[in-house]
């Protein structure tokens, strides 16, 4: 089953506002996966049904930035689908970001390739999805969770992938 990792912002969380850079990377120790439950479904789903309703409202007014198969999402929720996660919530490590990345990955019909030229558009889409949980979102957390690779965020809005040298033992 595919895992959607949490994220770690190494530096720049607040300094990017002042013109600095930020470096973020996936944190594979914490992750979520799609699962099906037979019991306690509503408790395990938490607010996924409300999230699906929110996405449907956006779709109905042609405001949704990607083509999500919301009918399939709702159908699978009715079958017991939930997002099983060990990502701590409320600590800024991307619990909602991992969930949004998972929804996009599983239910988007027109996914953009994970290429640098698509990073700004993906970030905007992810921000719209995550806005359900936070009222507003930059999209950075779900972008990192979706890309599953380190990214460098520049104050001017540029986003680039970062490759770390592999240490040979």
């Amino acid at each position: 089953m595919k895992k959607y990792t949490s994220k770690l912002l190494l530096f720049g969380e607040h300094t990017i506002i002042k013109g600095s850079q930020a470096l973020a990377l996936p944190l594979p120790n914490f992750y979520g996966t799609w699962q099906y439950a037979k019991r306690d479904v509503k408790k395990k789903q938490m607010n996924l049904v409300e999230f699906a309703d929110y996405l449907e409202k956006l779709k109905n007014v042609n405001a949704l930035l990607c083509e999500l198969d919301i009918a399939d999402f709702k159908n699978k929720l009715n079958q017991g689908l939930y997002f099983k996660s060990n990502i701590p919530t409320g600590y800024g490590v991307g619990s909602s970001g991992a969930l949004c990345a998972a929804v996009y990955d599983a239910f988007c019909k027109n996914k953009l390739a994970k290429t640098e030229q698509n990073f700004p558009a993906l970030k905007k889409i992810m921000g719209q999805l995550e806005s359900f949980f936070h009222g507003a979102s930059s999209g950075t957390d779900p972008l990192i969770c979706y890309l599953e690779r380190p990214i460098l965020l520049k104050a001017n809005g540029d986003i680039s992938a970062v490759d770390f040298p592999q240490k040979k033992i």
Side-chain angles (χ1 to χ4, degrees):
M1 180 126 326
K2 180 156 173 59
K3 293 180 180 179
Y4 300 91
T5 65
S6 61
K7 65 85 187 171
L8 177 65
L9 195 56
L10 290 181
F11 64 83
E13 184 168 1
H14 299 289
T15 60
I16 197 165
I17 298 166
K18 298 291 185 185
S20 181
Q21 298 178 349
L23 179 63
L25 57 129
L27 186 61
N29 301 38
F30 299 105
Y31 59 88
T33 62
W34 289 118
Q35 302 282 321
Y36 283 91
K38 295 187 191 284
R39 290 185 281 149
D40 299 324
V41 174
K42 296 292 181 201
K43 182 179 176 186
K44 290 178 179 178
Q45 286 179 335
M46 298 189 336
N47 54 0
L48 282 176
V49 173
E50 291 84 0
F51 183 38
D53 289 341
Y54 167 79
L55 296 172
E56 188 172 53
K57 286 178 187 172
L58 288 174
K59 183 178 182 177
N60 289 341
V61 296
N62 295 317
L64 195 57
L65 298 176
C66 62
E67 188 181 349
L68 292 175
D69 190 342
I70 297 166
D72 186 37
F73 185 27
K74 285 185 167 191
N75 182 46
K76 288 182 177 168
L77 290 173
N78 287 332
Q79 295 172 19
L81 181 72
Y82 74 102
F83 192 67
K84 182 178 181 179
S85 172
N86 68 354
I87 304 170
T89 56
Y91 291 92
V93 289
S95 57
S96 61
L99 173 60
C100 291
V103 167
Y104 178 82
D105 193 40
F107 298 103
C108 184
K109 294 179 180 180
N110 59 340
K111 283 187 276 221
L112 297 173
K114 295 180 181 182
T115 58
E116 282 194 27
Q117 62 264 28
N118 287 334
F119 287 0
L122 282 166
K123 185 177 182 251
K124 189 173 182 179
I125 292 166
M126 296 296 178
Q128 183 185 48
L129 298 179
E130 196 178 39
S131 67
F132 170 78
F133 299 100
H134 303 297
S137 168
S138 69
T140 301
D141 289 5
L143 178 67
I144 297 158
C145 298
Y146 179 66
L147 295 175
E148 299 178 284
R149 63 182 304 181
I151 61 171
L152 181 65
L153 303 157
K154 297 181 183 175
N156 66 0
D158 288 349
I159 306 166
S160 59
V162 177
D163 291 318
F164 292 117
Q166 297 296 316
K167 182 178 178 182
K168 295 190 181 198
I169 298 176

